[in-house]
Amino acid sequence: MARTGSATTTRSNEVLQRLRSDILNGRLAPASKLGFAELGARYNVSSGVLREVLPRLVEQGLATSEAQLGFRVVDVSVHNLTQLTEARVAIETFVIREAVARGAITWESEVVAKHHALERIGRASTGVEISEDWLVAHEAFHLAILAGCGNRYLYEAAARLRSISEVYRCWSTPESHRTHRDIEAEHRAIMEATVGRDADLAVSLS
């Protein structure tokens, strides 16, 4: 029985990662309907798994859910982006400063480890699309930094705002810009500023 539960959890995580990748890479358009039949066929997965995965997608800010309307990919607008940016700057700035001030040595080690994993995946990735593995490692790196604040409520709020902002970042960044930026150097600078306890620099780079 435990083995079946573990297999279901693993499958749910896989489908969640694929859904995130399809949304962030624009393969699922903004405001498009996330129907059970279509998604079941697309990912070869049961409706039971989707009932578990879609609410998690809503929690992460990548989908919406309304009675009678079902699930949809989050929509985008200039107004929403403005409000999102204001909220994220206010909350994430505070959380990063708290993390830099309060994070223990174990937190530093986790940040460095997550950066190492991200860097290794980045070196192995090719092409202009964002790979599922990179998306997972990228999220894990930034969440590791936020986790140092030691406040679960602040962490969860900052994590959700960062997840929603990824939609705008991925959908608005031209492919040519993605390929010409030195993403590895940017993340290494964030890591070094964070574990170096330079809060001002860590905030400005993040």
Side-chain angles (χ1 to χ4, degrees):
M1 196 68 164
R3 195 175 300 169
T4 301
S6 177
T8 301
T9 300
T10 299
R11 183 62 175 146
S12 297
N13 290 337
E14 289 174 354
V15 173
L16 179 62
Q17 289 179 22
R18 291 183 63 189
L19 266 166
R20 282 179 57 88
S21 177
D22 284 347
I23 290 173
L24 295 176
N25 278 301
R27 292 188 288 266
L28 291 172
S32 61
K33 184 174 177 58
L34 296 170
F36 281 81
E38 295 84 354
L39 293 180
R42 183 186 185 100
Y43 302 115
N44 189 27
V45 69
S46 69
S47 59
V49 170
L50 290 172
R51 288 192 182 93
E52 178 184 343
V53 168
L54 290 175
R56 291 170 63 188
L57 204 64
V58 173
E59 289 173 5
Q60 294 180 7
L62 300 183
T64 59
S65 175
E66 294 183 39
Q68 311 304 320
L69 296 177
F71 295 90
R72 291 184 179 276
V73 176
V74 66
D75 200 2
V76 294
S77 71
V78 173
H79 175 70
N80 288 346
L81 176 59
T82 300
Q83 292 197 331
L84 170 64
T85 301
E86 290 175 352
R88 185 183 162 198
V89 168
I91 293 176
E92 189 168 314
T93 294
F94 180 76
V95 172
I96 291 175
R97 289 187 180 281
E98 286 292 290
V100 169
R102 298 172 181 271
I105 298 298
T106 52
W107 165 75
E108 288 186 15
S109 299
E110 184 69 6
V111 170
V112 172
K114 295 301 184 185
H115 172 262
H116 178 68
L118 176 63
E119 195 170 52
R120 290 292 295 272
I121 290 172
R123 287 173 182 164
S125 297
T126 58
V128 294
E129 279 212 342
I130 307 170
S131 74
E132 294 173 32
D133 288 343
W134 192 89
L135 287 170
V136 172
H138 181 249
E139 179 183 45
F141 169 64
H142 285 286
L143 293 186
I145 293 174
L146 299 176
C149 75
N151 184 310
R152 178 168 62 90
Y153 299 101
L154 285 170
Y155 167 79
E156 290 177 353
R160 187 170 190 276
L161 290 172
R162 169 164 281 278
S163 181
I164 301 171
S165 71
E166 281 291 284
V167 175
Y168 285 89
R169 184 183 68 80
C170 292
W171 285 347
S172 65
T173 304
E175 292 180 351
S176 59
H177 185 52
R178 289 182 192 172
T179 55
H180 285 90
R181 281 175 57 193
D182 192 344
I183 302 296
E184 289 181 15
E186 291 176 16
H187 285 102
R188 174 165 287 279
I190 293 171
M191 181 273 292
E192 290 175 346
T194 300
V195 299
R197 306 289 176 159
D198 188 335
D200 289 339
L201 183 57
V203 166
S204 68
L205 293 173
S206 297

PDB file of all heavy atoms in Angstrom, residues 11 15 18-19 22 27-28 32-47 50 54 69-72:
ATOM      1  N   ARG A  11       4.466  10.196  -9.458  1.00  0.00           N
ATOM      2  CA  ARG A  11       3.787  10.514 -10.718  1.00  0.00           C
ATOM      3  C   ARG A  11       3.204  11.921 -10.671  1.00  0.00           C
ATOM      4  O   ARG A  11       3.298  12.679 -11.645  1.00  0.00           O
ATOM      5  CB  ARG A  11       2.683   9.485 -10.988  1.00  0.00           C
ATOM      6  CG  ARG A  11       1.951   9.687 -12.311  1.00  0.00           C
ATOM      7  CD  ARG A  11       2.887   9.553 -13.486  1.00  0.00           C
ATOM      8  NE  ARG A  11       2.177   9.624 -14.756  1.00  0.00           N
ATOM      9  CZ  ARG A  11       2.680  10.166 -15.839  1.00  0.00           C
ATOM     10  NH1 ARG A  11       3.905  10.668 -15.828  1.00  0.00           N
ATOM     11  NH2 ARG A  11       1.984  10.191 -16.964  1.00  0.00           N
ATOM     12  N   VAL A  15       4.112  15.043 -13.228  1.00  0.00           N
ATOM     13  CA  VAL A  15       3.108  15.766 -14.011  1.00  0.00           C
ATOM     14  C   VAL A  15       3.129  17.251 -13.660  1.00  0.00           C
ATOM     15  O   VAL A  15       3.013  18.107 -14.546  1.00  0.00           O
ATOM     16  CB  VAL A  15       1.696  15.175 -13.777  1.00  0.00           C
ATOM     17  CG1 VAL A  15       0.630  16.025 -14.463  1.00  0.00           C
ATOM     18  CG2 VAL A  15       1.638  13.740 -14.292  1.00  0.00           C
ATOM     19  N   ARG A  18       5.988  18.834 -15.475  1.00  0.00           N
ATOM     20  CA  ARG A  18       5.714  18.974 -16.911  1.00  0.00           C
ATOM     21  C   ARG A  18       4.718  20.098 -17.173  1.00  0.00           C
ATOM     22  O   ARG A  18       4.861  20.852 -18.143  1.00  0.00           O
ATOM     23  CB  ARG A  18       5.203  17.660 -17.473  1.00  0.00           C
ATOM     24  CG  ARG A  18       6.261  16.558 -17.524  1.00  0.00           C
ATOM     25  CD  ARG A  18       5.716  15.303 -18.170  1.00  0.00           C
ATOM     26  NE  ARG A  18       5.337  15.532 -19.555  1.00  0.00           N
ATOM     27  CZ  ARG A  18       4.667  14.638 -20.297  1.00  0.00           C
ATOM     28  NH1 ARG A  18       4.306  13.476 -19.772  1.00  0.00           N
ATOM     29  NH2 ARG A  18       4.367  14.920 -21.550  1.00  0.00           N
ATOM     30  N   LEU A  19       3.724  20.219 -16.317  1.00  0.00           N
ATOM     31  CA  LEU A  19       2.754  21.305 -16.458  1.00  0.00           C
ATOM     32  C   LEU A  19       3.431  22.663 -16.288  1.00  0.00           C
ATOM     33  O   LEU A  19       3.199  23.592 -17.068  1.00  0.00           O
ATOM     34  CB  LEU A  19       1.632  21.156 -15.428  1.00  0.00           C
ATOM     35  CG  LEU A  19       0.383  20.411 -15.876  1.00  0.00           C
ATOM     36  CD1 LEU A  19      -0.482  20.052 -14.672  1.00  0.00           C
ATOM     37  CD2 LEU A  19      -0.418  21.259 -16.862  1.00  0.00           C
ATOM     38  N   ASP A  22       5.436  23.388 -19.383  1.00  0.00           N
ATOM     39  CA  ASP A  22       4.597  23.740 -20.530  1.00  0.00           C
ATOM     40  C   ASP A  22       4.019  25.143 -20.400  1.00  0.00           C
ATOM     41  O   ASP A  22       3.872  25.861 -21.393  1.00  0.00           O
ATOM     42  CB  ASP A  22       3.471  22.711 -20.695  1.00  0.00           C
ATOM     43  CG  ASP A  22       3.965  21.403 -21.297  1.00  0.00           C
ATOM     44  OD1 ASP A  22       5.100  21.386 -21.804  1.00  0.00           O
ATOM     45  OD2 ASP A  22       3.217  20.406 -21.261  1.00  0.00           O
ATOM     46  N   ARG A  27       3.818  26.667 -24.017  1.00  0.00           N
ATOM     47  CA  ARG A  27       3.114  25.601 -24.742  1.00  0.00           C
ATOM     48  C   ARG A  27       1.653  25.514 -24.307  1.00  0.00           C
ATOM     49  O   ARG A  27       0.816  24.997 -25.038  1.00  0.00           O
ATOM     50  CB  ARG A  27       3.834  24.267 -24.533  1.00  0.00           C
ATOM     51  CG  ARG A  27       5.211  24.214 -25.197  1.00  0.00           C
ATOM     52  CD  ARG A  27       5.821  22.831 -25.143  1.00  0.00           C
ATOM     53  NE  ARG A  27       6.257  22.463 -23.812  1.00  0.00           N
ATOM     54  CZ  ARG A  27       7.488  22.636 -23.345  1.00  0.00           C
ATOM     55  NH1 ARG A  27       8.423  23.182 -24.122  1.00  0.00           N
ATOM     56  NH2 ARG A  27       7.810  22.276 -22.117  1.00  0.00           N
ATOM     57  N   LEU A  28       1.361  26.018 -23.116  1.00  0.00           N
ATOM     58  CA  LEU A  28      -0.014  26.193 -22.644  1.00  0.00           C
ATOM     59  C   LEU A  28      -0.216  27.697 -22.501  1.00  0.00           C
ATOM     60  O   LEU A  28       0.446  28.343 -21.686  1.00  0.00           O
ATOM     61  CB  LEU A  28      -0.234  25.472 -21.317  1.00  0.00           C
ATOM     62  CG  LEU A  28      -0.212  23.941 -21.378  1.00  0.00           C
ATOM     63  CD1 LEU A  28      -0.254  23.341 -19.972  1.00  0.00           C
ATOM     64  CD2 LEU A  28      -1.392  23.415 -22.199  1.00  0.00           C
ATOM     65  N   SER A  32      -5.694  29.751 -20.900  1.00  0.00           N
ATOM     66  CA  SER A  32      -6.256  28.576 -21.570  1.00  0.00           C
ATOM     67  C   SER A  32      -6.812  27.598 -20.547  1.00  0.00           C
ATOM     68  O   SER A  32      -6.317  27.488 -19.424  1.00  0.00           O
ATOM     69  CB  SER A  32      -5.199  27.890 -22.433  1.00  0.00           C
ATOM     70  OG  SER A  32      -4.111  27.439 -21.654  1.00  0.00           O
ATOM     71  N   LYS A  33      -7.857  26.876 -20.938  1.00  0.00           N
ATOM     72  CA  LYS A  33      -8.538  25.945 -20.038  1.00  0.00           C
ATOM     73  C   LYS A  33      -7.676  24.712 -19.802  1.00  0.00           C
ATOM     74  O   LYS A  33      -7.055  24.179 -20.722  1.00  0.00           O
ATOM     75  CB  LYS A  33      -9.881  25.528 -20.638  1.00  0.00           C
ATOM     76  CG  LYS A  33     -10.720  24.642 -19.731  1.00  0.00           C
ATOM     77  CD  LYS A  33     -12.092  24.390 -20.323  1.00  0.00           C
ATOM     78  CE  LYS A  33     -12.916  23.442 -19.456  1.00  0.00           C
ATOM     79  NZ  LYS A  33     -13.085  23.939 -18.074  1.00  0.00           N
ATOM     80  N   LEU A  34      -7.651  24.264 -18.555  1.00  0.00           N
ATOM     81  CA  LEU A  34      -6.921  23.054 -18.180  1.00  0.00           C
ATOM     82  C   LEU A  34      -7.944  21.956 -17.910  1.00  0.00           C
ATOM     83  O   LEU A  34      -8.291  21.668 -16.759  1.00  0.00           O
ATOM     84  CB  LEU A  34      -6.044  23.319 -16.943  1.00  0.00           C
ATOM     85  CG  LEU A  34      -4.925  24.353 -17.121  1.00  0.00           C
ATOM     86  CD1 LEU A  34      -4.292  24.699 -15.776  1.00  0.00           C
ATOM     87  CD2 LEU A  34      -3.866  23.828 -18.091  1.00  0.00           C
ATOM     88  N   GLY A  35      -8.442  21.383 -18.988  1.00  0.00           N
ATOM     89  CA  GLY A  35      -9.478  20.359 -18.870  1.00  0.00           C
ATOM     90  C   GLY A  35      -8.895  18.998 -18.502  1.00  0.00           C
ATOM     91  O   GLY A  35      -7.802  18.642 -18.948  1.00  0.00           O
ATOM     92  N   PHE A  36      -9.643  18.228 -17.730  1.00  0.00           N
ATOM     93  CA  PHE A  36      -9.155  16.925 -17.286  1.00  0.00           C
ATOM     94  C   PHE A  36      -8.943  15.976 -18.460  1.00  0.00           C
ATOM     95  O   PHE A  36      -7.943  15.248 -18.502  1.00  0.00           O
ATOM     96  CB  PHE A  36     -10.135  16.313 -16.278  1.00  0.00           C
ATOM     97  CG  PHE A  36      -9.991  16.878 -14.897  1.00  0.00           C
ATOM     98  CD1 PHE A  36     -10.570  18.097 -14.561  1.00  0.00           C
ATOM     99  CD2 PHE A  36      -9.273  16.201 -13.929  1.00  0.00           C
ATOM    100  CE1 PHE A  36     -10.435  18.622 -13.299  1.00  0.00           C
ATOM    101  CE2 PHE A  36      -9.128  16.715 -12.652  1.00  0.00           C
ATOM    102  CZ  PHE A  36      -9.714  17.934 -12.336  1.00  0.00           C
ATOM    103  N   ALA A  37      -9.867  15.970 -19.402  1.00  0.00           N
ATOM    104  CA  ALA A  37      -9.748  15.041 -20.537  1.00  0.00           C
ATOM    105  C   ALA A  37      -8.526  15.369 -21.386  1.00  0.00           C
ATOM    106  O   ALA A  37      -7.750  14.476 -21.750  1.00  0.00           O
ATOM    107  CB  ALA A  37     -11.017  15.099 -21.389  1.00  0.00           C
ATOM    108  N   GLU A  38      -8.352  16.655 -21.681  1.00  0.00           N
ATOM    109  CA  GLU A  38      -7.224  17.063 -22.521  1.00  0.00           C
ATOM    110  C   GLU A  38      -5.890  16.814 -21.827  1.00  0.00           C
ATOM    111  O   GLU A  38      -4.940  16.299 -22.435  1.00  0.00           O
ATOM    112  CB  GLU A  38      -7.342  18.559 -22.876  1.00  0.00           C
ATOM    113  CG  GLU A  38      -8.540  18.913 -23.751  1.00  0.00           C
ATOM    114  CD  GLU A  38      -9.820  19.114 -22.949  1.00  0.00           C
ATOM    115  OE1 GLU A  38      -9.794  18.864 -21.714  1.00  0.00           O
ATOM    116  OE2 GLU A  38     -10.832  19.510 -23.540  1.00  0.00           O
ATOM    117  N   LEU A  39      -5.827  17.164 -20.548  1.00  0.00           N
ATOM    118  CA  LEU A  39      -4.570  16.962 -19.817  1.00  0.00           C
ATOM    119  C   LEU A  39      -4.280  15.482 -19.600  1.00  0.00           C
ATOM    120  O   LEU A  39      -3.128  15.055 -19.641  1.00  0.00           O
ATOM    121  CB  LEU A  39      -4.626  17.680 -18.459  1.00  0.00           C
ATOM    122  CG  LEU A  39      -4.676  19.209 -18.497  1.00  0.00           C
ATOM    123  CD1 LEU A  39      -4.728  19.764 -17.075  1.00  0.00           C
ATOM    124  CD2 LEU A  39      -3.488  19.788 -19.250  1.00  0.00           C
ATOM    125  N   GLY A  40      -5.343  14.708 -19.376  1.00  0.00           N
ATOM    126  CA  GLY A  40      -5.157  13.275 -19.195  1.00  0.00           C
ATOM    127  C   GLY A  40      -4.530  12.642 -20.421  1.00  0.00           C
ATOM    128  O   GLY A  40      -3.627  11.793 -20.321  1.00  0.00           O
ATOM    129  N   ALA A  41      -4.997  13.063 -21.595  1.00  0.00           N
ATOM    130  CA  ALA A  41      -4.449  12.529 -22.846  1.00  0.00           C
ATOM    131  C   ALA A  41      -3.044  13.086 -23.096  1.00  0.00           C
ATOM    132  O   ALA A  41      -2.161  12.354 -23.564  1.00  0.00           O
ATOM    133  CB  ALA A  41      -5.366  12.901 -24.011  1.00  0.00           C
ATOM    134  N   ARG A  42      -2.830  14.339 -22.767  1.00  0.00           N
ATOM    135  CA  ARG A  42      -1.536  14.987 -23.030  1.00  0.00           C
ATOM    136  C   ARG A  42      -0.412  14.361 -22.206  1.00  0.00           C
ATOM    137  O   ARG A  42       0.692  14.134 -22.702  1.00  0.00           O
ATOM    138  CB  ARG A  42      -1.647  16.477 -22.696  1.00  0.00           C
ATOM    139  CG  ARG A  42      -0.398  17.305 -22.997  1.00  0.00           C
ATOM    140  CD  ARG A  42      -0.569  18.735 -22.490  1.00  0.00           C
ATOM    141  NE  ARG A  42       0.548  19.579 -22.865  1.00  0.00           N
ATOM    142  CZ  ARG A  42       0.555  20.432 -23.883  1.00  0.00           C
ATOM    143  NH1 ARG A  42      -0.501  20.529 -24.653  1.00  0.00           N
ATOM    144  NH2 ARG A  42       1.616  21.170 -24.136  1.00  0.00           N
ATOM    145  N   TYR A  43      -0.715  14.056 -20.941  1.00  0.00           N
ATOM    146  CA  TYR A  43       0.320  13.541 -20.042  1.00  0.00           C
ATOM    147  C   TYR A  43       0.150  12.059 -19.710  1.00  0.00           C
ATOM    148  O   TYR A  43       0.919  11.525 -18.903  1.00  0.00           O
ATOM    149  CB  TYR A  43       0.334  14.358 -18.745  1.00  0.00           C
ATOM    150  CG  TYR A  43       0.580  15.827 -18.971  1.00  0.00           C
ATOM    151  CD1 TYR A  43      -0.401  16.777 -18.676  1.00  0.00           C
ATOM    152  CD2 TYR A  43       1.785  16.286 -19.497  1.00  0.00           C
ATOM    153  CE1 TYR A  43      -0.187  18.127 -18.892  1.00  0.00           C
ATOM    154  CE2 TYR A  43       2.011  17.632 -19.723  1.00  0.00           C
ATOM    155  CZ  TYR A  43       1.021  18.552 -19.420  1.00  0.00           C
ATOM    156  OH  TYR A  43       1.230  19.896 -19.644  1.00  0.00           O
ATOM    157  N   ASN A  44      -0.864  11.430 -20.326  1.00  0.00           N
ATOM    158  CA  ASN A  44      -1.122  10.009 -20.090  1.00  0.00           C
ATOM    159  C   ASN A  44      -1.258   9.731 -18.590  1.00  0.00           C
ATOM    160  O   ASN A  44      -0.546   8.915 -18.010  1.00  0.00           O
ATOM    161  CB  ASN A  44       0.002   9.149 -20.688  1.00  0.00           C
ATOM    162  CG  ASN A  44      -0.342   7.664 -20.668  1.00  0.00           C
ATOM    163  OD1 ASN A  44      -1.522   7.288 -20.691  1.00  0.00           O
ATOM    164  ND2 ASN A  44       0.671   6.821 -20.611  1.00  0.00           N
ATOM    165  N   VAL A  45      -2.180  10.454 -17.967  1.00  0.00           N
ATOM    166  CA  VAL A  45      -2.334  10.395 -16.521  1.00  0.00           C
ATOM    167  C   VAL A  45      -3.814  10.349 -16.153  1.00  0.00           C
ATOM    168  O   VAL A  45      -4.670  10.801 -16.918  1.00  0.00           O
ATOM    169  CB  VAL A  45      -1.639  11.622 -15.878  1.00  0.00           C
ATOM    170  CG1 VAL A  45      -2.387  12.898 -16.219  1.00  0.00           C
ATOM    171  CG2 VAL A  45      -1.492  11.452 -14.391  1.00  0.00           C
ATOM    172  N   SER A  46      -4.125   9.796 -15.002  1.00  0.00           N
ATOM    173  CA  SER A  46      -5.509   9.652 -14.558  1.00  0.00           C
ATOM    174  C   SER A  46      -6.069  10.964 -14.022  1.00  0.00           C
ATOM    175  O   SER A  46      -5.319  11.871 -13.640  1.00  0.00           O
ATOM    176  CB  SER A  46      -5.605   8.589 -13.462  1.00  0.00           C
ATOM    177  OG  SER A  46      -4.987   9.046 -12.271  1.00  0.00           O
ATOM    178  N   SER A  47      -7.394  11.063 -13.965  1.00  0.00           N
ATOM    179  CA  SER A  47      -8.036  12.257 -13.417  1.00  0.00           C
ATOM    180  C   SER A  47      -7.736  12.398 -11.932  1.00  0.00           C
ATOM    181  O   SER A  47      -7.688  13.510 -11.400  1.00  0.00           O
ATOM    182  CB  SER A  47      -9.551  12.199 -13.647  1.00  0.00           C
ATOM    183  OG  SER A  47     -10.110  11.048 -13.032  1.00  0.00           O
ATOM    184  N   LEU A  50      -4.556  14.296 -11.615  1.00  0.00           N
ATOM    185  CA  LEU A  50      -4.791  15.697 -11.973  1.00  0.00           C
ATOM    186  C   LEU A  50      -5.531  16.448 -10.868  1.00  0.00           C
ATOM    187  O   LEU A  50      -5.290  17.632 -10.650  1.00  0.00           O
ATOM    188  CB  LEU A  50      -5.587  15.773 -13.279  1.00  0.00           C
ATOM    189  CG  LEU A  50      -4.823  15.337 -14.535  1.00  0.00           C
ATOM    190  CD1 LEU A  50      -5.758  15.261 -15.729  1.00  0.00           C
ATOM    191  CD2 LEU A  50      -3.668  16.299 -14.825  1.00  0.00           C
ATOM    192  N   LEU A  54      -3.524  19.848 -10.001  1.00  0.00           N
ATOM    193  CA  LEU A  54      -4.021  21.168 -10.395  1.00  0.00           C
ATOM    194  C   LEU A  54      -4.166  22.132  -9.211  1.00  0.00           C
ATOM    195  O   LEU A  54      -3.810  23.313  -9.347  1.00  0.00           O
ATOM    196  CB  LEU A  54      -5.328  21.031 -11.165  1.00  0.00           C
ATOM    197  CG  LEU A  54      -5.161  20.415 -12.569  1.00  0.00           C
ATOM    198  CD1 LEU A  54      -6.524  20.192 -13.231  1.00  0.00           C
ATOM    199  CD2 LEU A  54      -4.287  21.293 -13.452  1.00  0.00           C
ATOM    200  N   LEU A  69     -16.265  26.928 -13.667  1.00  0.00           N
ATOM    201  CA  LEU A  69     -15.370  27.241 -14.783  1.00  0.00           C
ATOM    202  C   LEU A  69     -14.153  26.328 -14.831  1.00  0.00           C
ATOM    203  O   LEU A  69     -13.497  26.222 -15.862  1.00  0.00           O
ATOM    204  CB  LEU A  69     -14.907  28.700 -14.704  1.00  0.00           C
ATOM    205  CG  LEU A  69     -16.002  29.760 -14.845  1.00  0.00           C
ATOM    206  CD1 LEU A  69     -15.413  31.157 -14.666  1.00  0.00           C
ATOM    207  CD2 LEU A  69     -16.701  29.639 -16.201  1.00  0.00           C
ATOM    208  N   GLY A  70     -13.839  25.687 -13.705  1.00  0.00           N
ATOM    209  CA  GLY A  70     -12.708  24.773 -13.666  1.00  0.00           C
ATOM    210  C   GLY A  70     -11.372  25.492 -13.563  1.00  0.00           C
ATOM    211  O   GLY A  70     -11.284  26.631 -13.110  1.00  0.00           O
ATOM    212  N   PHE A  71     -10.342  24.811 -14.040  1.00  0.00           N
ATOM    213  CA  PHE A  71      -8.976  25.326 -13.940  1.00  0.00           C
ATOM    214  C   PHE A  71      -8.534  25.969 -15.253  1.00  0.00           C
ATOM    215  O   PHE A  71      -8.882  25.493 -16.331  1.00  0.00           O
ATOM    216  CB  PHE A  71      -8.006  24.197 -13.587  1.00  0.00           C
ATOM    217  CG  PHE A  71      -8.239  23.598 -12.230  1.00  0.00           C
ATOM    218  CD1 PHE A  71      -9.092  22.515 -12.066  1.00  0.00           C
ATOM    219  CD2 PHE A  71      -7.595  24.115 -11.113  1.00  0.00           C
ATOM    220  CE1 PHE A  71      -9.303  21.950 -10.816  1.00  0.00           C
ATOM    221  CE2 PHE A  71      -7.799  23.566  -9.857  1.00  0.00           C
ATOM    222  CZ  PHE A  71      -8.659  22.483  -9.708  1.00  0.00           C
ATOM    223  N   ARG A  72      -7.754  27.036 -15.111  1.00  0.00           N
ATOM    224  CA  ARG A  72      -7.183  27.707 -16.279  1.00  0.00           C
ATOM    225  C   ARG A  72      -5.753  28.133 -15.965  1.00  0.00           C
ATOM    226  O   ARG A  72      -5.407  28.385 -14.811  1.00  0.00           O
ATOM    227  CB  ARG A  72      -7.995  28.953 -16.685  1.00  0.00           C
ATOM    228  CG  ARG A  72      -9.358  28.653 -17.259  1.00  0.00           C
ATOM    229  CD  ARG A  72     -10.067  29.910 -17.738  1.00  0.00           C
ATOM    230  NE  ARG A  72     -11.366  29.596 -18.308  1.00  0.00           N
ATOM    231  CZ  ARG A  72     -11.554  29.212 -19.559  1.00  0.00           C
ATOM    232  NH1 ARG A  72     -10.521  29.155 -20.390  1.00  0.00           N
ATOM    233  NH2 ARG A  72     -12.749  28.920 -20.002  1.00  0.00           N
TER     234      ARG A  72
END
